[in-house]
PDB file of all heavy atoms in Angstrom:
ATOM      1  N   PRO E  13    -192.194 -60.147  39.412  1.00  0.00           N
ATOM      2  CA  PRO E  13    -191.193 -61.218  39.486  1.00  0.00           C
ATOM      3  C   PRO E  13    -189.889 -60.731  40.109  1.00  0.00           C
ATOM      4  O   PRO E  13    -189.428 -59.620  39.833  1.00  0.00           O
ATOM      5  CB  PRO E  13    -190.991 -61.608  38.020  1.00  0.00           C
ATOM      6  CG  PRO E  13    -192.260 -61.224  37.347  1.00  0.00           C
ATOM      7  CD  PRO E  13    -192.716 -59.965  38.040  1.00  0.00           C
ATOM      8  N   HIS E  23    -189.551 -69.717  52.667  1.00  0.00           N
ATOM      9  CA  HIS E  23    -190.244 -69.621  53.955  1.00  0.00           C
ATOM     10  C   HIS E  23    -189.323 -69.102  55.058  1.00  0.00           C
ATOM     11  O   HIS E  23    -189.763 -68.375  55.951  1.00  0.00           O
ATOM     12  CB  HIS E  23    -190.829 -70.981  54.335  1.00  0.00           C
ATOM     13  CG  HIS E  23    -192.059 -71.334  53.557  1.00  0.00           C
ATOM     14  ND1 HIS E  23    -193.248 -70.667  53.716  1.00  0.00           N
ATOM     15  CD2 HIS E  23    -192.282 -72.275  52.599  1.00  0.00           C
ATOM     16  CE1 HIS E  23    -194.156 -71.176  52.908  1.00  0.00           C
ATOM     17  NE2 HIS E  23    -193.593 -72.146  52.215  1.00  0.00           N
ATOM     18  N   PRO E  51    -198.733 -86.702  59.485  1.00  0.00           N
ATOM     19  CA  PRO E  51    -197.927 -86.203  60.604  1.00  0.00           C
ATOM     20  C   PRO E  51    -196.494 -85.928  60.163  1.00  0.00           C
ATOM     21  O   PRO E  51    -195.913 -86.681  59.374  1.00  0.00           O
ATOM     22  CB  PRO E  51    -197.985 -87.358  61.612  1.00  0.00           C
ATOM     23  CG  PRO E  51    -199.224 -88.114  61.261  1.00  0.00           C
ATOM     24  CD  PRO E  51    -199.362 -87.998  59.769  1.00  0.00           C
ATOM     25  N   HIS E  53    -195.492 -83.470  58.310  1.00  0.00           N
ATOM     26  CA  HIS E  53    -195.388 -82.838  56.988  1.00  0.00           C
ATOM     27  C   HIS E  53    -194.676 -81.491  57.061  1.00  0.00           C
ATOM     28  O   HIS E  53    -193.913 -81.130  56.172  1.00  0.00           O
ATOM     29  CB  HIS E  53    -196.784 -82.657  56.392  1.00  0.00           C
ATOM     30  CG  HIS E  53    -196.808 -81.861  55.120  1.00  0.00           C
ATOM     31  ND1 HIS E  53    -196.350 -82.365  53.923  1.00  0.00           N
ATOM     32  CD2 HIS E  53    -197.214 -80.588  54.862  1.00  0.00           C
ATOM     33  CE1 HIS E  53    -196.483 -81.444  52.982  1.00  0.00           C
ATOM     34  NE2 HIS E  53    -197.001 -80.366  53.527  1.00  0.00           N
ATOM     35  N   GLU E  57    -194.061 -78.048  64.711  1.00  0.00           N
ATOM     36  CA  GLU E  57    -195.225 -78.714  65.287  1.00  0.00           C
ATOM     37  C   GLU E  57    -196.502 -77.989  64.858  1.00  0.00           C
ATOM     38  O   GLU E  57    -196.618 -76.783  64.997  1.00  0.00           O
ATOM     39  CB  GLU E  57    -195.127 -78.735  66.812  1.00  0.00           C
ATOM     40  CG  GLU E  57    -194.053 -79.676  67.338  1.00  0.00           C
ATOM     41  CD  GLU E  57    -194.359 -81.129  67.027  1.00  0.00           C
ATOM     42  OE1 GLU E  57    -195.552 -81.502  67.067  1.00  0.00           O
ATOM     43  OE2 GLU E  57    -193.414 -81.883  66.719  1.00  0.00           O
ATOM     44  N   TYR E  61    -204.981 -80.195  61.752  1.00  0.00           N
ATOM     45  CA  TYR E  61    -206.130 -79.424  61.277  1.00  0.00           C
ATOM     46  C   TYR E  61    -206.747 -80.046  60.022  1.00  0.00           C
ATOM     47  O   TYR E  61    -206.094 -80.781  59.276  1.00  0.00           O
ATOM     48  CB  TYR E  61    -205.717 -77.995  60.954  1.00  0.00           C
ATOM     49  CG  TYR E  61    -205.312 -77.153  62.140  1.00  0.00           C
ATOM     50  CD1 TYR E  61    -204.077 -76.516  62.174  1.00  0.00           C
ATOM     51  CD2 TYR E  61    -206.174 -76.983  63.226  1.00  0.00           C
ATOM     52  CE1 TYR E  61    -203.706 -75.730  63.250  1.00  0.00           C
ATOM     53  CE2 TYR E  61    -205.808 -76.206  64.307  1.00  0.00           C
ATOM     54  CZ  TYR E  61    -204.570 -75.578  64.322  1.00  0.00           C
ATOM     55  OH  TYR E  61    -204.195 -74.802  65.386  1.00  0.00           O
ATOM     56  N   ALA E  72    -191.242 -73.197  39.600  1.00  0.00           N
ATOM     57  CA  ALA E  72    -190.741 -72.060  38.836  1.00  0.00           C
ATOM     58  C   ALA E  72    -191.146 -72.206  37.369  1.00  0.00           C
ATOM     59  O   ALA E  72    -190.998 -73.273  36.775  1.00  0.00           O
ATOM     60  CB  ALA E  72    -189.225 -71.974  38.952  1.00  0.00           C
ATOM     61  N   GLN E 118    -202.044 -66.568  46.836  1.00  0.00           N
ATOM     62  CA  GLN E 118    -202.781 -67.819  46.691  1.00  0.00           C
ATOM     63  C   GLN E 118    -203.825 -67.686  45.585  1.00  0.00           C
ATOM     64  O   GLN E 118    -204.754 -66.883  45.694  1.00  0.00           O
ATOM     65  CB  GLN E 118    -203.469 -68.198  48.008  1.00  0.00           C
ATOM     66  CG  GLN E 118    -202.509 -68.433  49.156  1.00  0.00           C
ATOM     67  CD  GLN E 118    -203.221 -68.683  50.470  1.00  0.00           C
ATOM     68  OE1 GLN E 118    -204.420 -68.458  50.604  1.00  0.00           O
ATOM     69  NE2 GLN E 118    -202.476 -69.153  51.459  1.00  0.00           N
ATOM     70  N   GLU E 128    -218.013 -89.666  44.718  1.00  0.00           N
ATOM     71  CA  GLU E 128    -218.220 -90.019  46.114  1.00  0.00           C
ATOM     72  C   GLU E 128    -216.871 -90.144  46.834  1.00  0.00           C
ATOM     73  O   GLU E 128    -215.826 -90.338  46.194  1.00  0.00           O
ATOM     74  CB  GLU E 128    -218.992 -91.333  46.222  1.00  0.00           C
ATOM     75  CG  GLU E 128    -220.362 -91.300  45.560  1.00  0.00           C
ATOM     76  CD  GLU E 128    -221.255 -90.207  46.112  1.00  0.00           C
ATOM     77  OE1 GLU E 128    -221.234 -89.992  47.343  1.00  0.00           O
ATOM     78  OE2 GLU E 128    -221.970 -89.568  45.317  1.00  0.00           O
ATOM     79  N   PRO E 133    -208.915 -91.752  45.108  1.00  0.00           N
ATOM     80  CA  PRO E 133    -207.794 -92.650  45.441  1.00  0.00           C
ATOM     81  C   PRO E 133    -206.873 -92.133  46.536  1.00  0.00           C
ATOM     82  O   PRO E 133    -206.272 -92.908  47.261  1.00  0.00           O
ATOM     83  CB  PRO E 133    -207.030 -92.759  44.109  1.00  0.00           C
ATOM     84  CG  PRO E 133    -207.977 -92.307  43.065  1.00  0.00           C
ATOM     85  CD  PRO E 133    -208.871 -91.312  43.714  1.00  0.00           C
ATOM     86  N   LEU E 147    -222.239 -78.860  53.248  1.00  0.00           N
ATOM     87  CA  LEU E 147    -221.863 -77.451  53.147  1.00  0.00           C
ATOM     88  C   LEU E 147    -222.582 -76.594  54.190  1.00  0.00           C
ATOM     89  O   LEU E 147    -221.986 -75.688  54.778  1.00  0.00           O
ATOM     90  CB  LEU E 147    -222.175 -76.922  51.745  1.00  0.00           C
ATOM     91  CG  LEU E 147    -221.034 -76.968  50.731  1.00  0.00           C
ATOM     92  CD1 LEU E 147    -221.548 -76.588  49.346  1.00  0.00           C
ATOM     93  CD2 LEU E 147    -219.903 -76.035  51.153  1.00  0.00           C
ATOM     94  N   ILE E 151    -220.664 -74.307  56.906  1.00  0.00           N
ATOM     95  CA  ILE E 151    -220.889 -72.872  57.095  1.00  0.00           C
ATOM     96  C   ILE E 151    -221.222 -72.571  58.549  1.00  0.00           C
ATOM     97  O   ILE E 151    -220.686 -71.622  59.144  1.00  0.00           O
ATOM     98  CB  ILE E 151    -222.008 -72.379  56.153  1.00  0.00           C
ATOM     99  CG1 ILE E 151    -221.493 -72.400  54.698  1.00  0.00           C
ATOM    100  CG2 ILE E 151    -222.483 -70.978  56.539  1.00  0.00           C
ATOM    101  CD1 ILE E 151    -222.568 -72.153  53.665  1.00  0.00           C
ATOM    102  N   PRO E 162    -221.587 -83.402  62.187  1.00  0.00           N
ATOM    103  CA  PRO E 162    -221.296 -84.764  61.737  1.00  0.00           C
ATOM    104  C   PRO E 162    -220.417 -84.746  60.488  1.00  0.00           C
ATOM    105  O   PRO E 162    -220.521 -83.835  59.646  1.00  0.00           O
ATOM    106  CB  PRO E 162    -222.685 -85.342  61.436  1.00  0.00           C
ATOM    107  CG  PRO E 162    -223.577 -84.164  61.254  1.00  0.00           C
ATOM    108  CD  PRO E 162    -223.015 -83.065  62.084  1.00  0.00           C
ATOM    109  N   TYR E 165    -215.082 -89.643  57.351  1.00  0.00           N
ATOM    110  CA  TYR E 165    -213.628 -89.601  57.226  1.00  0.00           C
ATOM    111  C   TYR E 165    -213.140 -90.713  56.304  1.00  0.00           C
ATOM    112  O   TYR E 165    -213.628 -91.852  56.371  1.00  0.00           O
ATOM    113  CB  TYR E 165    -212.968 -89.765  58.595  1.00  0.00           C
ATOM    114  CG  TYR E 165    -213.066 -88.553  59.482  1.00  0.00           C
ATOM    115  CD1 TYR E 165    -214.249 -88.250  60.149  1.00  0.00           C
ATOM    116  CD2 TYR E 165    -211.976 -87.707  59.654  1.00  0.00           C
ATOM    117  CE1 TYR E 165    -214.344 -87.136  60.976  1.00  0.00           C
ATOM    118  CE2 TYR E 165    -212.056 -86.593  60.476  1.00  0.00           C
ATOM    119  CZ  TYR E 165    -213.242 -86.312  61.132  1.00  0.00           C
ATOM    120  OH  TYR E 165    -213.328 -85.198  61.942  1.00  0.00           O
ATOM    121  N   ALA E 172    -204.131 -98.816  52.234  1.00  0.00           N
ATOM    122  CA  ALA E 172    -205.559 -98.698  51.930  1.00  0.00           C
ATOM    123  C   ALA E 172    -206.152 -97.489  52.638  1.00  0.00           C
ATOM    124  O   ALA E 172    -205.476 -96.779  53.381  1.00  0.00           O
ATOM    125  CB  ALA E 172    -206.278 -99.973  52.351  1.00  0.00           C
ATOM    126  N   HIS E 213    -219.422 -63.525  39.698  1.00  0.00           N
ATOM    127  CA  HIS E 213    -219.083 -62.778  40.902  1.00  0.00           C
ATOM    128  C   HIS E 213    -218.983 -63.667  42.141  1.00  0.00           C
ATOM    129  O   HIS E 213    -219.389 -63.300  43.248  1.00  0.00           O
ATOM    130  CB  HIS E 213    -220.104 -61.660  41.164  1.00  0.00           C
ATOM    131  CG  HIS E 213    -220.331 -60.773  39.975  1.00  0.00           C
ATOM    132  ND1 HIS E 213    -219.298 -60.095  39.352  1.00  0.00           N
ATOM    133  CD2 HIS E 213    -221.469 -60.477  39.268  1.00  0.00           C
ATOM    134  CE1 HIS E 213    -219.790 -59.414  38.328  1.00  0.00           C
ATOM    135  NE2 HIS E 213    -221.078 -59.638  38.255  1.00  0.00           N
ATOM    136  N   TRP E 216    -213.517 -65.529  46.821  1.00  0.00           N
ATOM    137  CA  TRP E 216    -213.177 -66.158  48.082  1.00  0.00           C
ATOM    138  C   TRP E 216    -213.544 -65.247  49.244  1.00  0.00           C
ATOM    139  O   TRP E 216    -213.743 -65.674  50.344  1.00  0.00           O
ATOM    140  CB  TRP E 216    -211.675 -66.511  48.145  1.00  0.00           C
ATOM    141  CG  TRP E 216    -210.777 -65.334  48.107  1.00  0.00           C
ATOM    142  CD1 TRP E 216    -210.180 -64.754  47.018  1.00  0.00           C
ATOM    143  CD2 TRP E 216    -210.338 -64.566  49.227  1.00  0.00           C
ATOM    144  NE1 TRP E 216    -209.427 -63.678  47.378  1.00  0.00           N
ATOM    145  CE2 TRP E 216    -209.509 -63.535  48.737  1.00  0.00           C
ATOM    146  CE3 TRP E 216    -210.588 -64.641  50.605  1.00  0.00           C
ATOM    147  CZ2 TRP E 216    -208.906 -62.581  49.577  1.00  0.00           C
ATOM    148  CZ3 TRP E 216    -209.999 -63.699  51.424  1.00  0.00           C
ATOM    149  CH2 TRP E 216    -209.181 -62.686  50.916  1.00  0.00           C
TER     150      TRP E 216
END
Side-chain angles (χ1 to χ4, degrees):
H23 285 291
H53 173 73
E57 289 295 324
Y61 292 125
Q118 298 175 347
E128 301 303 320
L147 266 172
I151 290 171
Y165 286 77
H213 308 303
W216 64 267

